Amino acid sequence: MAVVFTAPMGFLDRLKGTSKPDPGVAPVPPEQLYHMLLGLNRPTAPWGVRSGAPEGVDLVAEWKIVDASWYEIFAKAHLERAYKVLMRFDPPTTTVRATDQEWMVEWEAGVPQLSLQASGFRGQKTEVSFGTAYAFTETGQYGEVYNYRFNSSELKTPLKATINGAGWTYQAVAFGKL
């Protein structure tokens, strides 16, 4: 008697980093999806979506590490890595191919200096950073100075939900051409 393992529907997709739209969701035109993803930007999020033209892709979602209103928060958290998702649209297959990149961050006088290491990361990654610090505050009281948690899923989950909700497939790319 042979034992055959059958993976649940969607298991291999999740393993490969692919998320598909619900059946019956009609794909929107690429221009509309582009604007929907840019529409995810909000001042209260520690990440943003922007044009990927400088990187040669359609869109980039990244931590706001160089944004003046955010880098002080990242500096206090001693964030050591910058993280971004590069996205390229493939209209014939209604697929957004995405790859992750990571940079080392060095802080000089409270300002981030980003550098892609020779051994920099490109592929698919889940990153979670968190920390809390207690010290004497400006008022002389002992208390919490900062409390942070940065999780790459905070960035990827809304991207995937928007892409899938627009009838497109999100495909993670670890190797090969984006």
Side-chain angles (χ1 to χ4, degrees):
M1 178 175 165
V3 176
V4 178
F5 173 74
T6 305
M9 186 81 162
F11 173 76
L12 293 176
D13 284 338
R14 281 193 297 276
L15 190 62
K16 293 187 297 183
T18 300
S19 63
K20 296 180 180 178
D22 289 333
V25 177
V28 302
E31 300 80 19
Q32 185 176 346
L33 177 59
Y34 183 91
H35 291 291
M36 289 170 71
L37 289 166
L38 287 175
L40 293 173
N41 288 322
R42 60 189 194 284
T44 57
W47 55 271
V49 181
R50 63 172 174 79
S51 167
E55 287 90 347
V57 296
D58 294 309
L59 287 171
V60 174
E62 63 189 341
W63 294 114
K64 293 180 180 176
I65 190 115
V66 294
D67 184 319
S69 61
W70 279 93
Y71 71 66
E72 184 177 330
I73 294 166
F74 286 110
K76 284 182 181 178
H78 303 290
L79 192 72
E80 297 176 352
R81 293 180 190 92
Y83 174 80
K84 66 170 72 172
V85 178
L86 301 149
M87 294 173 277
R88 182 170 307 229
F89 292 15
D90 184 8
T93 63
T94 60
T95 299
V96 176
R97 293 190 311 271
T99 192
D100 303 347
Q101 284 187 340
E102 182 179 88
W103 279 263
M104 292 303 295
V105 178
E106 294 182 14
W107 297 92
E108 294 179 14
V111 177
Q113 306 297 318
L114 305 177
S115 64
L116 181 61
Q117 313 172 62
S119 62
F121 179 83
R122 179 174 184 241
Q124 294 300 311
K125 186 169 192 167
T126 298
E127 177 90 20
V128 178
S129 301
F130 56 89
T132 303
Y134 291 89
F136 287 99
T137 64
E138 292 176 3
T139 62
Q141 301 293 320
Y142 187 77
E144 187 177 276
V145 178
Y146 65 82
N147 184 343
Y148 73 94
R149 178 177 164 82
F150 302 115
N151 186 332
S152 59
S153 68
E154 289 178 40
L155 192 150
K156 284 187 175 181
T157 299
L159 294 175
K160 289 179 181 180
T162 301
I163 290 166
N164 294 156
W168 286 58
T169 297
Y170 178 96
Q171 180 183 358
V173 177
F175 304 104
K177 188 175 178 183
L178 181 64

